[in-house]
């Protein structure tokens, strides 16, 4: 067997690579150690994953214990879950819902000590529930005024709302066991948010690629 540590050499051992998906998932979902603005985005994720109707954003905030039950915990069924550790999409999926998928997209070594771990974060929604109503108490300024009538944004895309929440929470976040999450092509050219379609065009969404440095040397 090759002795990789002989002669004073050191190599990246990727100590925290396994289980890294859940570290990102729970950072997005957890209500702990977040500012008021961050918690607002967290609750938006909860609502859009929990509620499938057009008034999802006006629904009561779900319990955290109910949200973590949406994380896939078996290899048998998918329909009961909304959060997955794989980009795979079952062809038989028929639920009109929103989904969140977090997985390792690529591992790109920079040298023998450090590598960039890119995460794929898929924000996916059934095309029949794309629109979601803006809550009546939202204090947004008008986008236009015509004949004295103010026009405000009354509906948004579930995809764009979820995408904003994910980017708001993760970009620059220091995730325990992962490191500083970065969304910049200065780090890696594969990092971007790209529109896509899934499952015979029944679902559409955004694939976000963002990354973090990993270097656990021995």
């Amino acid at each position: 067997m090759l002795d990789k540590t002989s002669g004073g050499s050191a190599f990246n051992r990727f100590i925290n690579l396994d289980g890294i998906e859940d570290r990102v998932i729970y950072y997005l979902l957890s209500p702990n150690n977040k500012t008021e603005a961050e918690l607002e985005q967290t609750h938006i994720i909860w609502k859009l994953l929990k509620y499938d109707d057009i008034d999802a954003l006006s629904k009561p905030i779900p319990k955290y214990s109910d949200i973590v039950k949406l994380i896939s915990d078996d290899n048998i069924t998918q329909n009961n879950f909304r959060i997955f550790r794989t980009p795979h999409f079952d062809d038989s999926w028929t639920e009109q819902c929103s989904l969140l998928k977090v997985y390792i997209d690529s591992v790109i070594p920079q040298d023998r000590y450090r590598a960039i771990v890119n995460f794929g974060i898929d924000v996916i929604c059934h095309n029949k529930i794309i629109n979601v109503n803006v809550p009546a108490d939202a204090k947004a300024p008008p986008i236009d005024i015509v004949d004295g009538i103010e026009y405000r944004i009354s509906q948004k895309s579930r995809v764009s709302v979820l995408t904003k929440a994910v980017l708001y929470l993760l970009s620059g976040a220091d995730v325990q066991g992962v490191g500083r999450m970065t969304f910049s092509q200065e780090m890696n050219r594969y990092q971007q948010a790209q529109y896509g379609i899934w499952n015979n065009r029944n679902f559409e969404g955004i694939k976000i690629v963002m990354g973090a440095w990993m270097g656990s040397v021995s």
Side-chain angles (χ1 to χ4, degrees), residues 192-209:
Q192 63 176 345
Q194 178 77 36
Y195 174 82
I197 54 176
W198 283 262
N199 207 13
N200 299 315
R201 298 182 181 271
N202 291 318
F203 286 80
E204 61 185 86
I206 298 285
K207 175 179 177 175
I208 302 167
V209 177

Side-chain angles (χ1 to χ4, degrees), residues 28 33 41 48 70 73 75 83 105 107 111 147 177 182-183 194:
L28 284 170
N33 302 316
Q41 296 303 312
L48 293 183
L70 299 177
D73 66 359
N75 294 317
I83 305 164
D105 183 75
V107 180
D111 52 37
D147 297 329
T182 302
F183 185 61
Q194 178 77 36

